[in-house]
């Protein structure tokens, strides 16, 4: 671990610039889902408890460097105050005279929210002058926005090099979970990678093959791999142009000792709609007019048996068309098995990605996973083995 946490910092009496992700959905000025706000509460409360004065830096939407009232962070103040249980003050800019005065006047127990960092076009260019203007406002920098750590922006990367810097509680939890899953995991390690397209997850598959013992491939991606093996998949979603690439991945897995697991049986329907008439067939016997919409029961048994032999599980993407019944069956069954193994202490399970989180929530399995990442792009880039600028900047502090 090459980065510091809040525990490593002297916060008493210090102004702590906290980069957070509070990019929450808002309808008519009202927050409709406060999940992201709730997840930063431990960081803010710990800073307050240590005598620090939190100053929140955040982006909101994509204003493209223009001031837009509907993308002002001011509208989040009631929700932030309810979450923190304390007063939240507001400065109408994240740099400049008003921000300077507000940061100087901040009293113990108060929280200061700075205006949308992306009202400055320089933010997304990782501009050093903008970062310096922000750094003037604080004594310590704390990054609690792992979801923005794959972007080299002024408020995530450049600023971390100007002040004593650390990870917040949410960032710390995310990094520890991912390091435990991919950095130094307990073996055997299994990865589940699903979703529609091989082309969007090539780097992910290439990285995982060298790091995991079992790679379970599901969803439309699995159909492309079946095509690469010479199997007809009827009218199923498949990237036939990627079949040679899929074949190369299969060959690479053989030489690296990673066992790739594809469906042995599939659920086939002629219509992509809820409760469409369907049948279970061997994976190599899809009908000419059929679409593979889920993995079959034999495949699920194979997958759950592998989970039972594993100590670490990384999950990104569903096994089938989980949005419509009954083609969510394989995803739900596998997820619930992983949840049960995690609950009994036999498995460390880490999952992330939008569809993945939705699928695990729908199955009821999410609450028992070791860690669910909501970071989206940052989670995927970490799994791909890429350096995340926001994390690298913190590591430079250690």
């Amino acid at each position: 671990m090459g980065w510091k946490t809040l525990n490593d910092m002297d916060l008493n009496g210090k102004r702590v610039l906290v980069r957070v992700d509070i990019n929450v959905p808002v309808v008519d000025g009202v927050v409709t889902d406060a999940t992201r706000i709730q997840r930063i509460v431990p960081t803010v409360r710990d800073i307050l408890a240590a005598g620090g004065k939190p100053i929140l830096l955040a982006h909101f939407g994509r204003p493209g460097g223009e001031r837009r009232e509907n993308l002002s962070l001011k509208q989040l103040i009631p929700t932030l105050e309810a979450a923190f249980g304390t007063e939240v003050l507001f400065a109408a800019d994240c740099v400049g005279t008003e921000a300077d005065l507000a940061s100087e006047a901040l009293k113990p127990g108060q929280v200061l929210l700075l205006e949308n960092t992306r009202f400055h076009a320089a933010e997304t260019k990782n501009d050093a002058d903008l970062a310096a203007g922000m750094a003037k406002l604080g004594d310590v920098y704390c990054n609690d926005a792992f979801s923005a750590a794959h972007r080299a922006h002024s408020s995530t990367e450049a600023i971390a090099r100007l002040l004593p810097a650390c990870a917040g509680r949410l960032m710390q939890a995310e990094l520890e979970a991912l390091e435990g899953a991919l950095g130094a995991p307990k073996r055997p390690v299994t990865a589940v990678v699903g979703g529609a397209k091989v082309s969007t997850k090539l780097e992910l598959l290439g990285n995982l093959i060298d790091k995991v013992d079992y790679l379970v491939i599901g969803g439309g991606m699995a159909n492309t791999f079946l095509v690469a093996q010479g199997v007809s998949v009827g009218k199923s979603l498949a990237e036939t142009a990627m079949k040679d690439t899929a074949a190369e991945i299969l060959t690479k897995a053989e030489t690296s000792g990673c066992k790739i697991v594809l469906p042995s049986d599939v659920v086939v329907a002629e219509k992509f709609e809820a409760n469409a008439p369907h049948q279970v067939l061997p994976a190599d016997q899809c009908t000419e007019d059929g679409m593979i919409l889920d993995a079959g029961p034999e495949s699920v048994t194979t997958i759950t048996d592998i989970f039972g032999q594993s100590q670490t599980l990384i999950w990104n993407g569903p096994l089938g068309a989980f949005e419509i019944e009954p083609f969510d069956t394989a995803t739900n069954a596998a997820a619930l098995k992983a949840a049960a193994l995690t609950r009994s202490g036999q498995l460390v399970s880490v999952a992330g990605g939008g569809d993945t989180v939705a699928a695990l929530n729908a199955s009821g399995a999410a609450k028992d996973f070791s860690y669910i990442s909501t970071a989206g792009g940052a989670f995927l880039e970490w799994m791909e083995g890429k350096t995340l600028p926001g994390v690298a900047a913190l590591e430079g502090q250690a």
Side-chain angles (χ1 to χ4, degrees):
M1 186 177 83
W3 36 270
K4 294 178 180 177
T5 72
L6 287 171
N7 296 353
D8 301 313
M9 315 302 282
D10 175 14
L11 303 177
N12 191 28
K14 303 287 177 66
R15 295 168 303 160
V16 186
L17 281 168
V18 192
R19 179 56 164 96
V20 293
D21 179 2
I22 48 176
N23 204 15
V24 294
V26 172
V27 177
D28 297 329
V30 177
V31 175
T32 56
D33 182 349
T35 302
R36 285 181 169 175
I37 288 173
Q38 291 299 330
R39 295 194 85 173
I40 65 167
V41 168
T43 293
V44 173
R45 286 191 175 161
D46 282 1
I47 291 169
L48 290 168
K53 294 179 276 189
I55 300 174
L56 306 184
L57 278 168
H59 74 276
F60 190 61
R62 297 184 177 182
E66 297 178 12
R67 287 189 166 271
R68 291 167 52 182
E69 197 60 36
N70 66 320
L71 293 179
S72 171
L73 286 168
K74 190 173 185 177
Q75 59 195 316
L76 306 188
I77 288 177
T79 309
L80 290 167
E81 288 186 332
F84 301 152
T86 192
E87 184 180 10
V88 176
L89 306 177
F90 181 71
D93 205 342
C94 61
V95 289
T97 304
E98 183 174 344
D100 290 344
L101 292 172
S103 74
E104 290 293 343
L106 197 60
K107 296 181 174 63
Q110 293 178 328
V111 176
L112 173 62
L113 174 66
L114 302 176
E115 184 57 285
N116 193 340
T117 58
R118 289 190 187 172
F119 281 178
H120 294 267
E123 156 74 341
T124 57
K125 297 170 185 169
N126 203 21
D127 183 79
D129 291 338
L130 181 62
M134 294 174 184
K136 278 176 59 183
L137 308 175
D139 307 298
V140 173
Y141 173 73
C142 170
N143 193 338
D144 208 30
F146 179 79
S147 53
H150 60 314
R151 306 283 187 229
H153 290 174
S154 298
S155 68
T156 62
E157 204 275 344
I159 191 174
R161 305 186 185 281
L162 301 176
L163 291 170
C166 67
R169 297 304 185 207
L170 179 57
M171 172 80 95
Q172 178 185 350
E174 191 101 31
L175 291 175
E176 287 174 350
L178 296 179
E179 179 62 25
L182 269 185
K186 292 182 178 178
R187 293 194 174 274
V189 183
T190 294
V192 173
V193 179
K197 295 183 176 182
V198 173
S199 54
T200 59
K201 296 192 177 179
L202 273 180
E203 290 180 89
L204 173 60
L205 295 170
N207 187 46
L208 290 178
I209 279 170
D210 292 325
K211 295 190 174 182
V212 306
D213 302 291
Y214 297 95
L215 178 54
V216 177
I217 297 178
M221 291 176 62
N223 300 337
T224 303
F225 278 86
L226 291 173
V227 170
Q229 293 181 326
V231 172
S232 172
V233 295
K235 293 184 177 177
S236 306
L237 175 68
E239 290 179 287
T240 52
M242 298 296 296
K243 67 178 182 180
D244 290 343
T245 304
E248 288 169 16
I249 291 170
L250 291 168
T251 301
K252 185 184 174 188
E254 282 181 26
T255 57
S256 69
C258 169
K259 180 173 174 52
I260 288 188
V261 181
L262 296 170
S264 56
D265 62 340
V266 291
V267 181
V268 176
E270 292 187 5
K271 292 182 180 178
F272 184 79
E273 58 185 42
N275 300 307
H278 56 278
Q279 56 184 325
V280 176
L281 298 169
D284 60 358
Q285 291 181 29
C286 180
T287 57
E288 196 174 317
D289 292 327
M291 290 181 284
I292 298 172
L293 296 181
D294 201 9
E298 182 181 279
S299 301
V300 172
T301 299
T302 299
I303 293 166
T304 54
D305 284 350
I306 289 170
F307 288 178
Q309 299 164 34
S310 302
Q311 291 202 64
T312 304
L313 172 66
I314 308 155
W315 192 319
N316 176 254
L319 297 174
F322 79 98
E323 309 94 334
I324 54 174
E325 296 181 350
F327 310 112
D328 56 350
T329 302
T331 301
N332 290 348
L336 290 168
K337 177 65 173 181
L341 289 166
T342 305
R343 204 164 50 240
S344 66
Q346 297 175 65
L347 189 67
V348 172
S349 52
V350 177
D355 281 353
T356 312
V357 175
L360 296 182
N361 282 333
S363 70
K367 66 184 185 299
D368 290 315
F369 267 59
S370 305
Y371 194 80
I372 301 279
S373 171
T374 56
F379 177 80
L380 199 56
E381 289 197 18
W382 178 282
M383 286 183 71
E384 289 169 354
K386 293 179 179 176
T387 297
L388 306 184
V391 176
L394 295 182
E395 289 173 341
Q397 292 275 329

Tab-separated table of all heavy atoms in Angstrom, residues 294-327:
chain	number	residue	atom	x	y	z
A	294	ASP	N	-29.439	-16.784	-22.189
A	294	ASP	CA	-28.943	-17.069	-20.840
A	294	ASP	C	-28.130	-18.351	-20.870
A	294	ASP	O	-28.226	-19.154	-21.813
A	294	ASP	CB	-30.116	-17.224	-19.858
A	294	ASP	CG	-29.717	-17.008	-18.394
A	294	ASP	OD1	-28.570	-16.576	-18.141
A	294	ASP	OD2	-30.558	-17.264	-17.508
A	295	ALA	N	-27.329	-18.536	-19.833
A	295	ALA	CA	-26.643	-19.812	-19.649
A	295	ALA	C	-27.634	-20.817	-19.059
A	295	ALA	O	-28.549	-20.433	-18.321
A	295	ALA	CB	-25.449	-19.635	-18.714
A	296	GLY	N	-27.469	-22.085	-19.386
A	296	GLY	CA	-28.388	-23.118	-18.912
A	296	GLY	C	-28.032	-23.656	-17.534
A	296	GLY	O	-26.996	-23.307	-16.962
A	297	PRO	N	-28.875	-24.546	-16.992
A	297	PRO	CA	-28.687	-25.066	-15.627
A	297	PRO	C	-27.394	-25.856	-15.447
A	297	PRO	O	-26.761	-25.789	-14.382
A	297	PRO	CB	-29.923	-25.946	-15.398
A	297	PRO	CG	-30.515	-26.189	-16.762
A	297	PRO	CD	-30.141	-25.009	-17.591
A	298	GLU	N	-26.988	-26.609	-16.477
A	298	GLU	CA	-25.722	-27.354	-16.383
A	298	GLU	C	-24.546	-26.379	-16.255
A	298	GLU	O	-23.625	-26.599	-15.456
A	298	GLU	CB	-25.553	-28.228	-17.626
A	298	GLU	CG	-24.296	-29.081	-17.632
A	298	GLU	CD	-24.193	-29.898	-18.917
A	298	GLU	OE1	-24.846	-30.953	-18.994
A	298	GLU	OE2	-23.463	-29.446	-19.836
A	299	SER	N	-24.598	-25.313	-17.026
A	299	SER	CA	-23.549	-24.288	-16.956
A	299	SER	C	-23.509	-23.646	-15.569
A	299	SER	O	-22.425	-23.392	-15.019
A	299	SER	CB	-23.786	-23.206	-18.008
A	299	SER	OG	-23.809	-23.751	-19.305
A	300	VAL	N	-24.680	-23.369	-15.015
A	300	VAL	CA	-24.743	-22.761	-13.680
A	300	VAL	C	-24.117	-23.683	-12.642
A	300	VAL	O	-23.365	-23.235	-11.762
A	300	VAL	CB	-26.205	-22.412	-13.304
A	300	VAL	CG1	-26.292	-21.962	-11.850
A	300	VAL	CG2	-26.750	-21.336	-14.230
A	301	THR	N	-24.398	-24.972	-12.752
A	301	THR	CA	-23.798	-25.932	-11.817
A	301	THR	C	-22.272	-25.910	-11.915
A	301	THR	O	-21.564	-25.903	-10.898
A	301	THR	CB	-24.323	-27.352	-12.100
A	301	THR	OG1	-25.742	-27.365	-11.911
A	301	THR	CG2	-23.686	-28.369	-11.175
A	302	THR	N	-21.770	-25.868	-13.140
A	302	THR	CA	-20.314	-25.801	-13.343
A	302	THR	C	-19.741	-24.541	-12.695
A	302	THR	O	-18.727	-24.595	-11.983
A	302	THR	CB	-19.981	-25.787	-14.851
A	302	THR	OG1	-20.466	-26.986	-15.439
A	302	THR	CG2	-18.487	-25.670	-15.084
A	303	ILE	N	-20.404	-23.410	-12.929
A	303	ILE	CA	-19.919	-22.128	-12.401
A	303	ILE	C	-19.949	-22.114	-10.879
A	303	ILE	O	-18.976	-21.718	-10.222
A	303	ILE	CB	-20.759	-20.966	-12.973
A	303	ILE	CG1	-20.509	-20.835	-14.481
A	303	ILE	CG2	-20.446	-19.653	-12.257
A	303	ILE	CD1	-21.513	-19.948	-15.208
A	304	THR	N	-21.044	-22.571	-10.298
A	304	THR	CA	-21.150	-22.538	-8.837
A	304	THR	C	-20.196	-23.538	-8.189
A	304	THR	O	-19.694	-23.296	-7.088
A	304	THR	CB	-22.595	-22.778	-8.371
A	304	THR	OG1	-23.096	-23.998	-8.948
A	304	THR	CG2	-23.505	-21.636	-8.797
A	305	ASP	N	-19.910	-24.644	-8.866
A	305	ASP	CA	-18.901	-25.582	-8.360
A	305	ASP	C	-17.524	-24.920	-8.319
A	305	ASP	O	-16.746	-25.111	-7.380
A	305	ASP	CB	-18.838	-26.844	-9.226
A	305	ASP	CG	-20.003	-27.798	-8.973
A	305	ASP	OD1	-20.745	-27.564	-7.986
A	305	ASP	OD2	-20.180	-28.749	-9.758
A	306	ILE	N	-17.227	-24.140	-9.354
A	306	ILE	CA	-15.950	-23.412	-9.404
A	306	ILE	C	-15.890	-22.381	-8.276
A	306	ILE	O	-14.859	-22.233	-7.612
A	306	ILE	CB	-15.759	-22.746	-10.784
A	306	ILE	CG1	-15.485	-23.809	-11.841
A	306	ILE	CG2	-14.618	-21.722	-10.754
A	306	ILE	CD1	-15.528	-23.299	-13.270
A	307	PHE	N	-16.994	-21.683	-8.045
A	307	PHE	CA	-17.041	-20.744	-6.922
A	307	PHE	C	-16.693	-21.464	-5.620
A	307	PHE	O	-15.978	-20.929	-4.772
A	307	PHE	CB	-18.437	-20.121	-6.787
A	307	PHE	CG	-18.801	-19.120	-7.849
A	307	PHE	CD1	-20.059	-18.514	-7.843
A	307	PHE	CD2	-17.913	-18.769	-8.860
A	307	PHE	CE1	-20.415	-17.584	-8.805
A	307	PHE	CE2	-18.265	-17.842	-9.844
A	307	PHE	CZ	-19.523	-17.258	-9.808
A	308	GLY	N	-17.243	-22.672	-5.465
A	308	GLY	CA	-17.015	-23.438	-4.238
A	308	GLY	C	-15.565	-23.834	-4.033
A	308	GLY	O	-15.122	-24.045	-2.900
A	309	GLN	N	-14.804	-23.922	-5.135
A	309	GLN	CA	-13.387	-24.271	-5.057
A	309	GLN	C	-12.491	-23.041	-4.924
A	309	GLN	O	-11.286	-23.163	-4.702
A	309	GLN	CB	-12.970	-25.027	-6.321
A	309	GLN	CG	-13.695	-26.342	-6.568
A	309	GLN	CD	-13.522	-26.821	-8.005
A	309	GLN	OE1	-12.472	-26.614	-8.609
A	309	GLN	NE2	-14.549	-27.436	-8.553
A	310	SER	N	-13.088	-21.862	-5.084
A	310	SER	CA	-12.301	-20.623	-5.138
A	310	SER	C	-12.248	-19.941	-3.778
A	310	SER	O	-13.071	-20.177	-2.904
A	310	SER	CB	-12.919	-19.659	-6.161
A	310	SER	OG	-12.968	-20.268	-7.436
A	311	GLN	N	-11.245	-19.059	-3.636
A	311	GLN	CA	-11.163	-18.231	-2.434
A	311	GLN	C	-11.396	-16.753	-2.733
A	311	GLN	O	-11.705	-15.984	-1.831
A	311	GLN	CB	-9.798	-18.410	-1.758
A	311	GLN	CG	-9.609	-19.796	-1.143
A	311	GLN	CD	-8.548	-19.792	-0.069
A	311	GLN	OE1	-8.691	-19.142	0.959
A	311	GLN	NE2	-7.469	-20.519	-0.322
A	312	THR	N	-11.224	-16.378	-4.010
A	312	THR	CA	-11.438	-14.988	-4.414
A	312	THR	C	-12.261	-14.953	-5.698
A	312	THR	O	-12.008	-15.736	-6.614
A	312	THR	CB	-10.095	-14.262	-4.653
A	312	THR	OG1	-9.287	-14.347	-3.465
A	312	THR	CG2	-10.314	-12.791	-4.999
A	313	LEU	N	-13.241	-14.036	-5.731
A	313	LEU	CA	-14.096	-13.876	-6.910
A	313	LEU	C	-14.154	-12.407	-7.304
A	313	LEU	O	-14.383	-11.537	-6.469
A	313	LEU	CB	-15.518	-14.375	-6.614
A	313	LEU	CG	-16.596	-14.093	-7.683
A	313	LEU	CD1	-16.298	-14.860	-8.970
A	313	LEU	CD2	-17.982	-14.448	-7.156
A	314	ILE	N	-13.924	-12.140	-8.599
A	314	ILE	CA	-14.083	-10.796	-9.158
A	314	ILE	C	-15.175	-10.895	-10.220
A	314	ILE	O	-15.106	-11.755	-11.089
A	314	ILE	CB	-12.783	-10.309	-9.811
A	314	ILE	CG1	-11.606	-10.440	-8.845
A	314	ILE	CG2	-12.911	-8.870	-10.272
A	314	ILE	CD1	-10.275	-10.552	-9.536
A	315	TRP	N	-16.153	-10.001	-10.152
A	315	TRP	CA	-17.319	-10.137	-11.044
A	315	TRP	C	-17.575	-8.825	-11.771
A	315	TRP	O	-17.726	-7.779	-11.163
A	315	TRP	CB	-18.551	-10.512	-10.204
A	315	TRP	CG	-19.744	-10.966	-11.001
A	315	TRP	CD1	-20.212	-10.430	-12.170
A	315	TRP	CD2	-20.633	-12.039	-10.692
A	315	TRP	NE1	-21.340	-11.106	-12.601
A	315	TRP	CE2	-21.608	-12.096	-11.716
A	315	TRP	CE3	-20.702	-12.947	-9.647
A	315	TRP	CZ2	-22.642	-13.021	-11.706
A	315	TRP	CZ3	-21.736	-13.876	-9.640
A	315	TRP	CH2	-22.688	-13.915	-10.664
A	316	ASN	N	-17.645	-8.903	-13.105
A	316	ASN	CA	-17.988	-7.741	-13.920
A	316	ASN	C	-18.840	-8.180	-15.115
A	316	ASN	O	-18.321	-8.715	-16.078
A	316	ASN	CB	-16.713	-7.035	-14.410
A	316	ASN	CG	-17.012	-5.869	-15.334
A	316	ASN	OD1	-16.815	-5.955	-16.527
A	316	ASN	ND2	-17.498	-4.773	-14.773
A	317	GLY	N	-20.132	-7.964	-14.996
A	317	GLY	CA	-21.032	-8.277	-16.108
A	317	GLY	C	-21.905	-9.490	-15.858
A	317	GLY	O	-21.484	-10.462	-15.240
A	318	PRO	N	-23.159	-9.461	-16.341
A	318	PRO	CA	-24.112	-10.554	-16.124
A	318	PRO	C	-23.859	-11.746	-17.044
A	318	PRO	O	-23.139	-11.645	-18.039
A	318	PRO	CB	-25.461	-9.900	-16.447
A	318	PRO	CG	-25.122	-8.821	-17.423
A	318	PRO	CD	-23.757	-8.321	-17.054
A	319	LEU	N	-24.481	-12.875	-16.714
A	319	LEU	CA	-24.315	-14.118	-17.486
A	319	LEU	C	-25.323	-14.232	-18.623
A	319	LEU	O	-25.179	-15.073	-19.510
A	319	LEU	CB	-24.446	-15.336	-16.560
A	319	LEU	CG	-23.387	-15.458	-15.465
A	319	LEU	CD1	-23.720	-16.629	-14.543
A	319	LEU	CD2	-22.001	-15.614	-16.075
A	320	GLY	N	-26.375	-13.421	-18.567
A	320	GLY	CA	-27.410	-13.479	-19.598
A	320	GLY	C	-28.150	-12.162	-19.674
A	320	GLY	O	-27.701	-11.153	-19.132
A	321	ALA	N	-29.300	-12.174	-20.342
A	321	ALA	CA	-30.119	-10.963	-20.483
A	321	ALA	C	-30.893	-10.746	-19.182
A	321	ALA	O	-32.110	-10.944	-19.112
A	321	ALA	CB	-31.064	-11.115	-21.669
A	322	PHE	N	-30.139	-10.320	-18.141
A	322	PHE	CA	-30.685	-10.291	-16.783
A	322	PHE	C	-31.846	-9.316	-16.617
A	322	PHE	O	-32.601	-9.378	-15.647
A	322	PHE	CB	-29.572	-9.936	-15.788
A	322	PHE	CG	-29.253	-8.470	-15.737
A	322	PHE	CD1	-29.791	-7.658	-14.744
A	322	PHE	CD2	-28.431	-7.881	-16.688
A	322	PHE	CE1	-29.517	-6.307	-14.708
A	322	PHE	CE2	-28.145	-6.530	-16.658
A	322	PHE	CZ	-28.690	-5.742	-15.658
A	323	GLU	N	-32.021	-8.382	-17.574
A	323	GLU	CA	-33.070	-7.369	-17.434
A	323	GLU	C	-34.468	-7.950	-17.601
A	323	GLU	O	-35.440	-7.328	-17.165
A	323	GLU	CB	-32.896	-6.250	-18.482
A	323	GLU	CG	-31.501	-5.647	-18.548
A	323	GLU	CD	-30.626	-6.312	-19.599
A	323	GLU	OE1	-30.867	-7.500	-19.937
A	323	GLU	OE2	-29.698	-5.648	-20.086
A	324	ILE	N	-34.576	-9.118	-18.260
A	324	ILE	CA	-35.909	-9.674	-18.505
A	324	ILE	C	-35.997	-11.123	-18.010
A	324	ILE	O	-35.073	-11.910	-18.205
A	324	ILE	CB	-36.294	-9.601	-20.007
A	324	ILE	CG1	-35.220	-10.250	-20.896
A	324	ILE	CG2	-36.518	-8.169	-20.441
A	324	ILE	CD1	-35.603	-10.332	-22.361
A	325	GLU	N	-37.102	-11.424	-17.339
A	325	GLU	CA	-37.340	-12.789	-16.863
A	325	GLU	C	-37.731	-13.683	-18.028
A	325	GLU	O	-38.356	-13.212	-18.989
A	325	GLU	CB	-38.455	-12.778	-15.814
A	325	GLU	CG	-38.092	-12.016	-14.566
A	325	GLU	CD	-39.213	-12.049	-13.539
A	325	GLU	OE1	-40.326	-12.506	-13.895
A	325	GLU	OE2	-38.983	-11.635	-12.402
A	326	PRO	N	-37.402	-14.958	-17.988
A	326	PRO	CA	-36.640	-15.663	-16.954
A	326	PRO	C	-35.149	-15.726	-17.284
A	326	PRO	O	-34.440	-16.584	-16.771
A	326	PRO	CB	-37.254	-17.070	-17.015
A	326	PRO	CG	-37.498	-17.254	-18.501
A	326	PRO	CD	-37.888	-15.886	-19.027
A	327	PHE	N	-34.665	-14.792	-18.128
A	327	PHE	CA	-33.286	-14.872	-18.616
A	327	PHE	C	-32.292	-14.248	-17.644
A	327	PHE	O	-31.138	-14.018	-17.974
A	327	PHE	CB	-33.205	-14.264	-20.021
A	327	PHE	CG	-34.258	-14.829	-20.944
A	327	PHE	CD1	-35.305	-14.036	-21.413
A	327	PHE	CD2	-34.242	-16.178	-21.291
A	327	PHE	CE1	-36.296	-14.570	-22.220
A	327	PHE	CE2	-35.230	-16.718	-22.107
A	327	PHE	CZ	-36.262	-15.917	-22.577
